[in-house]
Amino acid sequence: MSLIDKALVANRNYAKTYNPTQGKRPAPKIAVVTCMDPRLSDLPGILGLPHADLDVIRTGGPAVTEDVLGELVVSTHVLGTTEILLLNHTGCGFTTFTDAELNAKLSASTGDASPAPMRFFSYKDPEENTREQIKKVTSHPWIAKDVPVRGFIFDVETGLLSEVQSIAHQAAD
Ligand SMILES: [Zn+2]
């Protein structure tokens, strides 16, 4: 049985004890942009905030793409979140290749180069990646200036978060 088929069976049981009040309109308080890496999945544990408060946007890396910026605009203007947390991590799979390498590898292994060059948003340094994310988000005209935007790196060895100062912050220090 595939994992998806197993999940469908489990869902029948989940629905038996599901609390229908959870289906009401959500009111998240903070937008969290983080990597699709499963080690970042326990956000209520990592951040000590309830599931209901978190508006989670996940991409590989994470990459702050145009789509992610659109989601942050909706999150802060429509859903009502008032802070933005950019959550990177150590040991990310997206630091293990470059876009050019993966494009070449997949073109060769599949025999079809037509999707190349595909953007995978690979990167090398999580701190630099975080600083670029802060800049992208804070410079967007539709992200209100009074919404705090802070970036962190989750250490997968220790479980600790460390804050990354934005370039503007560093210059002021
Ligand atoms: Zn990652």
Side-chain angles (χ1 to χ4, degrees), residues 35-37 39-40 59-62 88-95 123:
C35 186
M36 65 195 204
D37 189 303
R39 293 170 292 183
L40 278 303
T59 60
N88 286 254
H89 69 107
T90 60
C92 185
F94 283 74
T95 61
Y123 66 97

Side-chain angles (χ1 to χ4, degrees), residues 23-28 52 79:
K24 286 195 299 195
R25 193 175 191 276
L79 303 179

